[in-house]
Amino acid sequence: MTTRPSAQPRSNAGLSWLSFIIPGLGQLLLGHSLLGVQFLATAALVWLIAWPLLPGGEVVGVVLALIAVVALHLGAGITAAADARRSLSAEQAHAAQNTYKRWSVIVALGVVLLIGGLLVRWIVTLPSWNEVQRNFLFLLIGRFRSADYADQLWRLWGFAALAVGAGAAFVMAQLKILGGWIPLALGAVIGIVFLFPTVSPQVQIGGLALSLILAILGILGAIPLGLLFGVGRTNTLPVMRGISTGYIELFRSLPFITVIFWFFIFVPYVLGEGTQFWAVVAALALFTGAYVAEIVRAGIQALPTGQAEAARALGLSGTQTMLQVILPQAVRNMIPPLVGQFISLFKDTSLVSIVGLIELAGAGRITGNRLVTATFEIYLTVALLYFVFAYLLSLLARRLEAPSGAR
């Protein structure tokens, strides 16, 4: 006995064209409620934004609106037509799924282009960007821009030395050229010689430059602390494990702002005046070191226990096993969380302004309070500067994490 194919798909196929006119309507009539609601909601958003732009609007706004509207209506109609043929065969169902994926991306790009383009156009046309331009140098280096320090501006080349040294070391590592530590060490020495007088005995520099100095010093202090206490927490000796656990749990349970106040008051009280900057650096290093230690511990314990057992069987000591076998393998697993922690450290430097250090966020707040008509533009510039350096760090992490064959 033969069964006649259902006529339902053919009758439904005639309804799909409605989505070209009202996005989502065809999907709703075909019984795909979720897709229909998605397209209807998107259409409501797009038309709410596009309608005021189309009649006599600026060329840029009209073009963005037309791109979003055309992409939306075409995507909804073509997707509905493909959905109407879904039940005819498995191939049609697969084709309908691919059509939805492709056009959902196109529609999303059109909506993002519309909203993002209008937002960028509004930001660019704000009236107070000239104030940002006049105060941009203050956001970068703080009061170091004043005439009092004109004869010291050459010290800023220390940042260039650090960047060139780190960049050369990174390129040499990617090309598998030995001796990458030489340009790194040379850049670090030159950078320290140039920049050290700007922060000690008195902090003269500010803005983004001070944020970078604090972040670099915090990272340099946090890495050895994290390695020491992270390895110590996996140690079999109860004393080492107890000390490491106490340090990690203490600093992880305290708010960073409390740690800053504690060190800012305690260290100068013990070591005398003029140590406030190093007190803040110590707070950054110790606070971040606790989180780095947990990352190190997790990276070590993620490795199979057979690695350590095999090293011991070959006659390696516990220290040799950790340095030559365990840590080199665990480092790749640590890279993503470590970079995330260092990005967090760079952003945490914004809290040090509460103790009088005028870093990037502090310079932005001072400028914004002085220029109340340009507050939004100032804080947007500060946010963009934070974003640029944080994003560069994340790109570096992805590069380091990628398999050697994919680089």
Side-chain angles (χ1 to χ4, degrees):
M1 180 177 177
T2 60
T3 304
R4 295 179 61 186
S6 173
Q8 186 68 17
R10 288 180 179 273
S11 62
N12 284 348
L15 301 175
S16 61
W17 64 272
L18 293 172
S19 282
F20 284 103
I21 301 174
I22 303 177
L25 182 58
Q27 282 87 348
L28 289 175
L29 295 176
L30 290 169
H32 301 142
S33 302
L34 181 59
L35 291 180
V37 171
Q38 288 177 348
F39 276 110
L40 280 174
T42 306
L45 174 64
V46 169
W47 276 107
L48 182 66
I49 299 173
W51 184 256
L53 300 174
L54 292 175
E58 295 182 7
V59 175
V60 175
V62 172
V63 171
L64 293 175
L66 286 176
I67 291 174
V69 168
V70 171
L72 172 64
H73 284 259
L74 282 178
I78 293 173
T79 303
D83 283 339
R85 299 189 297 269
R86 181 186 292 270
S87 59
L88 294 178
S89 65
E91 290 79 6
Q92 293 290 347
H94 182 67
Q97 185 67 21
N98 288 336
T99 300
Y100 169 72
K101 290 180 179 178
R102 181 166 55 252
W103 277 99
S104 62
V105 172
I106 294 173
V107 172
L109 287 176
V111 175
V112 170
L113 186 63
L114 172 63
I115 298 175
L118 294 177
L119 184 61
V120 169
R121 188 186 65 170
W122 173 72
I123 290 174
V124 170
T125 56
L126 288 173
S128 300
W129 283 111
N130 57 334
E131 296 292 347
V132 175
Q133 184 178 1
R134 281 200 291 266
N135 291 273
F136 190 67
L137 196 58
F138 181 72
L139 295 177
L140 293 182
I141 59 176
R143 62 181 180 178
F144 205 65
R145 68 168 185 170
S146 68
D148 296 337
Y149 302 103
D151 59 338
Q152 298 291 315
L153 288 177
W154 61 271
R155 294 192 178 277
L156 296 176
W157 285 104
F159 287 109
L162 291 172
V164 170
F170 177 76
V171 171
M172 292 176 69
Q174 299 299 299
L175 298 177
K176 295 182 172 54
I177 300 175
L178 298 178
W181 63 271
I182 296 176
L184 181 63
L186 185 61
V189 170
I190 296 174
I192 290 172
V193 171
F194 279 26
L195 295 173
F196 185 81
T198 66
V199 295
S200 183
Q202 199 173 32
V203 179
Q204 302 169 351
I205 205 166
L208 177 63
L210 182 57
S211 293
L212 291 174
I213 291 173
L214 287 170
I216 292 170
L217 292 175
I219 290 171
L220 291 178
I223 289 176
L225 286 172
L227 286 172
L228 175 64
F229 289 104
V231 172
R233 194 162 188 181
T234 63
N235 201 291
T236 55
L237 293 175
V239 175
M240 283 291 298
R241 191 168 60 251
I243 294 173
S244 300
T245 302
Y247 161 73
I248 293 170
E249 296 303 328
L250 171 64
F251 282 97
R252 289 181 69 199
S253 62
L254 293 174
F256 181 51
I257 194 169
T258 303
V259 178
I260 291 177
F261 274 124
W262 184 32
F263 274 81
F264 191 76
I265 295 172
F266 177 73
V267 172
Y269 180 77
V270 174
L271 301 179
E273 291 297 321
T275 57
Q276 285 85 351
F277 173 79
W278 300 108
V280 172
V281 171
L284 283 166
L286 287 168
F287 184 81
T288 306
Y291 289 90
V292 173
E294 275 297 277
I295 293 170
V296 171
R297 178 198 60 78
I300 292 172
Q301 293 182 344
L303 293 177
T305 55
Q307 299 285 333
E309 294 171 358
R312 295 291 178 86
L314 292 174
L316 297 179
S317 65
T319 303
Q320 290 174 324
T321 299
M322 182 61 66
L323 294 178
Q324 300 178 18
V325 178
I326 302 299
L327 283 179
Q329 298 182 73
V331 164
R332 186 171 295 278
N333 297 329
M334 298 177 195
I335 288 175
L338 277 177
V339 173
Q341 189 58 48
F342 293 151
I343 292 173
S344 178
L345 168 62
F346 175 60
K347 294 185 293 185
D348 283 345
T349 59
S350 62
L351 295 175
V352 305
S353 61
I354 62 175
V355 292
L357 296 181
I358 306 173
E359 38 61 64
L360 177 56
R365 186 172 60 253
I366 291 172
T367 308
N369 291 339
R370 183 166 50 85
L371 303 170
V372 292
T373 58
T375 302
F376 179 81
E377 293 90 330
I378 293 293
Y379 280 110
L380 179 60
T381 304
V382 170
L384 288 175
L385 289 172
Y386 275 116
F387 170 77
V388 167
F389 282 90
Y391 187 66
L392 289 176
L393 271 177
S394 65
L395 285 180
L396 176 62
R398 267 182 264 171
R399 184 70 177 176
L400 293 173
E401 189 185 4
S404 56
R407 292 176 184 171

